[in-house]
Amino acid sequence: MQAAPELSLPCQPRILALLMRELISEVPHMRRVNQLFGCDPVLAAQLMECANSSAYRMAAQVRGIPQALTLLGERQLRALLKKAQAGMVARPIAGIDMGQFARVSQDCAKLARSLAGRVRLDGSVAYIAGLLHGMGQLVLHQTQPERVAALAAEAGLWDPRRPRVEVRHWGYSAHYTTAILLRAWGLPAEIVAAVQAMEAPLQDAQFDPMAGVLHLAVWRNRVKVSGWSERSMADAFPVDVALALGIDVDVVLQQEATDWSQSMY
């Protein structure tokens, strides 16, 4: 796998343009800036990498988008966006609709934040972990397109069974690649650990509630995008993880995106 600094991943041009327009205004609306960074996993990843760099003396301590924005300031944010704009020459990633990828990632982040609130976990951490959990898929599709294409017939990108198929073919799943990236980008250890454990949070000797929250949020969005029926969702629901968190099944299955729409990430 390529080293993290060498990757060139495409962000959403519209979100980048809106952010640049906001930040060149005389008085940027930081709440809006916060919302926009929370809409694009690639831009959010770049923001978190920058904020957790040694340059700001907060290495591996910045745990969410609001904290990162406060740390960087407007001038540094404009420089980050100019760098992202220069990287817009990145080719589209075969097999991934970046608009859909961003929407699903954001929905995962919103539900993760909502569930985190119910078990008194940090909502900003849950949001950024949910938003970035799929970054490994982008990297694998970009750097190993033939390998990932071979899995498509067996399990699509959003199929809840996809991680098991990846493990069977490769010995690991894409979320493990995500954890490697997040560690290379300097994100806090608790975020890296939660993403690394999210597919099987009950297998670790000590249960990580944040990994459990991610597991439920990501599973819920996978089955939703895959078009599973209510009966199929109920039959396959990860009850053991919900019980470990003390979260009712209906809390996860019956929420819609509008219920997760708090604006601060």
Side-chain angles (χ1 to χ4, degrees):
M1 187 180 72
Q2 289 177 277
E6 298 175 1
L7 296 170
S8 180
L9 300 172
C11 62
Q12 297 175 92
R14 176 178 173 273
I15 299 300
L16 179 59
L18 289 171
L19 273 167
M20 294 187 73
R21 185 173 70 180
E22 192 65 54
L23 285 168
I24 63 173
S25 63
E26 192 169 318
V27 182
H29 194 307
M30 295 310 293
R31 188 182 184 90
R32 178 64 173 157
V33 172
N34 190 13
Q35 291 175 323
L36 289 168
F37 268 108
C39 292
D40 191 288
V42 173
L43 290 174
Q46 293 173 356
L47 172 69
M48 294 296 291
E49 180 185 14
C50 183
N52 280 289
S53 69
S54 58
Y56 296 97
R57 301 182 181 180
M58 290 287 286
Q61 297 181 58
V62 180
R63 305 163 78 239
I65 293 173
Q67 186 183 6
L69 294 177
T70 300
L71 182 65
L72 264 64
E74 295 172 20
R75 185 176 66 179
Q76 291 88 345
L77 290 172
R78 285 194 290 268
L80 185 151
L81 293 179
K82 286 181 181 178
K83 183 178 179 181
Q85 187 179 37
M88 287 300 292
V89 295
R91 295 179 180 178
I93 298 178
I96 292 187
D97 178 331
M98 288 302 296
Q100 183 190 46
F101 181 87
R103 289 191 298 274
V104 174
S105 297
Q106 188 181 22
D107 280 349
C108 287
K110 288 179 177 180
L111 182 53
R113 180 184 58 199
S114 176
L115 296 177
R118 290 179 174 270
V119 293
R120 299 185 179 181
L121 297 176
D122 189 320
S124 290
V125 170
Y127 192 94
I128 198 65
L131 187 66
L132 303 185
H133 84 276
M135 295 298 290
Q137 286 287 3
L138 294 186
V139 172
L140 291 171
H141 276 73
Q142 184 183 69
T143 61
Q144 304 178 43
E146 296 84 5
R147 291 186 74 200
V148 294
L151 304 186
E154 195 169 345
L157 181 61
W158 305 114
D159 192 318
R161 298 163 294 191
R162 176 65 174 255
R164 293 197 296 273
V165 173
E166 292 169 348
V167 170
R168 190 166 70 251
H169 282 264
W170 305 336
Y172 64 92
S173 60
H175 77 276
Y176 183 73
T177 302
T178 299
I180 292 173
L181 289 168
L182 300 185
R183 186 178 296 113
W185 291 333
L187 270 67
E190 64 183 297
I191 298 176
V192 176
V195 171
Q196 187 164 329
M198 74 175 196
E199 294 295 353
L202 298 177
Q203 287 186 1
D204 287 353
Q206 186 170 358
F207 175 63
D208 179 355
M210 188 62 76
V213 162
L214 283 178
H215 182 87
L216 293 180
V218 171
W219 180 88
R220 172 66 176 89
N221 277 281
R222 285 173 177 165
V223 296
K224 179 181 177 183
V225 175
S226 298
W228 283 26
S229 67
E230 291 186 8
R231 176 63 182 271
S232 296
M233 287 191 286
D235 289 345
F237 185 81
V239 177
D240 50 354
V241 178
L243 287 174
L245 288 168
I247 293 177
D248 188 84
V249 173
D250 290 340
V251 169
V252 181
L253 292 182
Q254 294 181 5
Q255 290 193 74
E256 293 297 335
T258 53
D259 297 325
W260 319 329
S261 59
Q262 299 174 40
S263 59
M264 296 300 284
Y265 305 137

